[in-house]
Amino acid sequence: MPKLRSTVLCFLVTVGALLSISAFTGETPPGKPNVVLIFTDDLGYGDLGCYGNTTIRTPNLDQMAAEGARFTEFYSISPVCSPSRAGLLTGRHPIRMGIQSVFFPESWTGMAPEEITLAEALKEQGYATSCVGKWHLGHHHRYLPLQQGFDEYFGIPYSNDMEAVVYLDGNEVVEEEVDQRYTTRTYTEKALDFIDRKAGSPFFLYVAHSMPHVPLYASEDFEGKSPRGLYGDVIEEIDWSVGQILKKLEAKKLDDNTIVIFTSDNGPWLAFGPDGGSAGPLREGKQFTFEGGMRVPGIIQWKGQIEPMESEELVSTIDLFPTLVTLAGGTLPDDRPIDGQDISAHLLKKKPLGERTLAYYYNGELRAFRKGDWKIKMPYPGNESNPWRAGVPAHDTLLFNLKADRSEKYNILPKHPEKAAELLQAMEDFQTSLGTLPPLMKTRAPADNIHYDRQKEWLEQQKQKP
């Protein structure tokens, strides 16, 4: 059994993989909707007003949530950056691609060009495609956005705390000295320009903000303005950016034919204290498979098509690929597993999705598994707090009912051993269904410590500020 448990720690899934792709039973609205996908970095479940925050002002996102679908159980497919982006753009579990850790400037690896991205699938339907912002799926030429289905790219190819932060335009470095106070503003300007130029035909715009990943920067229009400090300044500027995009769509009379999605790549980086955001009522954050690491804000707006609703359905970022391809009139690849589930019928007709499952991976190991309302958390040896990872004490196997206890405070395994056995069996069954998986990609060696040295330096600078 220990060997089986170890193997079980090697698969990642939502029920979309178990159910394959469910057919959309409603009528697809006429025409091809534009798609704007806004993906933040390290934004926590509790960082927006519409998710309960009382010190960070997010009026544009709050309005977007009020007019569209606000999900209370929306998940990134990973608690760290690169795997979450791979899953988002392909609709596939990152474990299928060998991606389970973060790429670094010293990495020679990246997401394989043979993967079919959302940009490539939408291009087949006549869409213009643009990626603005953080890429983080490999920075060598063959892995960059222009080789992954995007017509245009402008942004920083990896995290904003890594060495040699540069702006790329297409495949070329155009700026080596990046003033990150203006990163959010720059991304916004690029996004608005793309909408202006492509307003006459269907387009897919992927805006991947570099923040609120540390180090934090805000322009002079926002710095020092939020009651929540610098972190709040950064979120309020991102909210402003969302507002600018929504206003541009309205000015171009595109708001009724554009799907706008806002979410995050993982939970907040709690190791950075007040500069690391909040998971609200959820436990832990980034790098952990408690709810705070992967349950994130999820807002989807499509005026005239998606009626205002608060949805408690379990939805994941990998569901976006099949959903958007379906709504664009396309067909899904049939030469590879697509793990996400088409949720069109839920968005447009409020149809229930049925009982779903979710697997919580970190560094190639399955740390937790959810089936319906129940979640089992595998034993964890614990770790000490350090400059980039929050300290979490060791624990044995844990069982939670997330509907009754979303904060994961109460281990009810002793009262429900039969439910724990059911979830373990579901894990094992799905492991078998995944078949042979590729080896995990090598992204860095233990001696590559530049990244952590830079984080330590930034932390010391924050401590010295008055």
Side-chain angles (χ1 to χ4, degrees), residues 36 41 44 328 379:
V36 177
D41 196 340

Side-chain angles (χ1 to χ4, degrees), residues 47 106 183 224 227 285 368 413 443:
D47 283 335
E106 57 266 32
T183 298
L413 188 148
T443 59

